[in-house]
Amino acid sequence: MQFAIAVFSAPEQASNRRALRFAEAVLAEGHAISRLFFYQAGVHSASSQQVTAQDELDLPRAWHEFVTQHQLDAVVCIAAALRRGQLNQAEAERYNRDGYSVQTPWELSGLGQLHDAAQSADRLICFGGP
Amino acid sequence: MKTLHLLSHSPFTDQRLTSCLHVIGANDGLLLTGDAVLALQPGSLQRKALELMPAGVQLFALEEDLIARHLQDCLPERVNSVDYPRFVALSLQADKVNSWL
């Protein structure tokens, strides 16, 4: 079965970790993830600049490894990302910003990608809140 | 199961559980995650409300969150503790999953 998974919460929220654990279980159970979509504060999951305390799970890194290892389609909402300072190189150049924090395998794109994922997948599962 | 409702807010600081129990369908399921498992606190009104739900409503709680709050040994009989593989299976058993974000 095809899953679309949307993450609305920042990495410091437990729901962000639950989303990752759920996504891992989806693949472990033999299903597929057609798209991961990061929205609202969830866009911080794609940041390469976030520093996590040594005794805590580094979720941006864990997401990065998970997406890379399984070659997943991982979309970050561009409007939510820009307003939170999570830019890729192209957006940093477009808006004359000094640095950028979103790199491959993440893709910045529009909310339409969530709609598309919801339509094509068998299930859309959203993770947000605490 | 028609709809699986997914809750993560504590029922002691938030109205989502109350709202959910008002609208939940007779053949829906409810999965408590995160602080939402605190609804199973022995003696609480929230636990009573869950125990009084129609028999067709299936109740689940995420195992790791129960253990984190030491609630795993005092579950009502009708509440099933589930791990992540079972969470995935539940989401497929239901026609759709509604997250109370």
Side-chain angles (χ1 to χ4, degrees):
Chain A
M1 297 293 257
Q2 294 278 344
F3 282 80
I5 298 174
V7 182
F8 289 68
S9 55
E12 60 266 27
Q13 297 284 343
S15 55
N16 187 289
R17 178 184 164 282
R18 279 198 296 280
L20 177 60
R21 292 284 174 262
F22 181 86
E24 288 168 347
V26 164
L27 298 186
E29 294 298 297
H31 304 294
I33 296 172
S34 56
R35 178 165 293 151
L36 292 166
F37 190 88
F38 293 81
Y39 191 41
Q40 295 179 355
V43 301
H44 294 298
S45 313
S47 173
S48 61
Q49 296 295 320
Q50 183 167 324
V51 178
T52 307
Q54 278 182 11
D55 59 347
E56 291 175 17
L57 173 63
D58 187 344
L59 274 157
R61 171 175 288 184
W63 276 114
H64 187 280
E65 286 171 0
F66 179 71
V67 169
T68 306
Q69 184 189 345
H70 299 286
Q71 299 184 310
L72 298 174
D73 181 0
V75 177
V76 180
C77 174
I78 189 165
L82 292 183
R83 73 168 68 237
R84 289 172 177 82
Q86 303 297 350
L87 283 63
N88 61 11
Q89 190 171 5
E91 297 306 313
E93 284 168 8
R94 188 197 317 273
Y95 294 104
N96 293 315
R97 293 302 191 269
D98 292 334
Y100 56 92
S101 53
V102 179
Q103 294 154 59
T104 53
W106 305 99
E107 187 195 336
L108 289 179
S109 192
L111 198 51
Q113 299 296 317
L114 175 58
H115 182 260
D116 176 57
Q119 295 300 312
S120 59
D122 296 299
R123 291 291 181 282
L124 167 67
I125 317 290
C126 301
F127 290 87
Chain B
M1 196 183 344
K2 281 192 80 174
T3 299
L4 176 66
H5 297 267
L6 207 54
L7 281 168
S8 66
H9 289 76
S10 165
F12 300 108
T13 58
D14 182 272
Q15 290 300 306
R16 282 175 179 78
L17 176 68
T18 309
S19 303
C20 178
L21 295 186
H22 276 300
V23 302
I24 198 164
N27 297 306
D28 286 356
L30 172 58
L31 171 56
L32 304 171
T33 67
D35 281 344
V37 305
L38 293 172
L40 298 170
Q41 190 93 352
S44 67
L45 289 173
Q46 287 82 357
R47 177 172 170 133
K48 264 191 199 101
L50 288 169
E51 287 177 322
L52 289 171
M53 292 307 288
V57 175
Q58 298 181 64
L59 301 176
F60 308 94
L62 198 59
E63 184 181 37
E64 65 172 19
D65 291 322
L66 289 170
I67 293 171
R69 293 156 187 82
H70 196 60
L71 291 166
Q72 74 275 19
D73 298 328
C74 58
L75 291 186
E77 218 167 277
R78 60 180 293 182
V79 176
N80 288 300
S81 172
V82 299
D83 57 10
Y84 280 96
R86 183 91 177 92
F87 182 1
V88 172
L90 283 178
S91 70
L92 290 171
Q93 272 172 38
D95 295 338
K96 52 181 172 290
V97 180
N98 179 41
S99 300
W100 291 69
L101 293 173

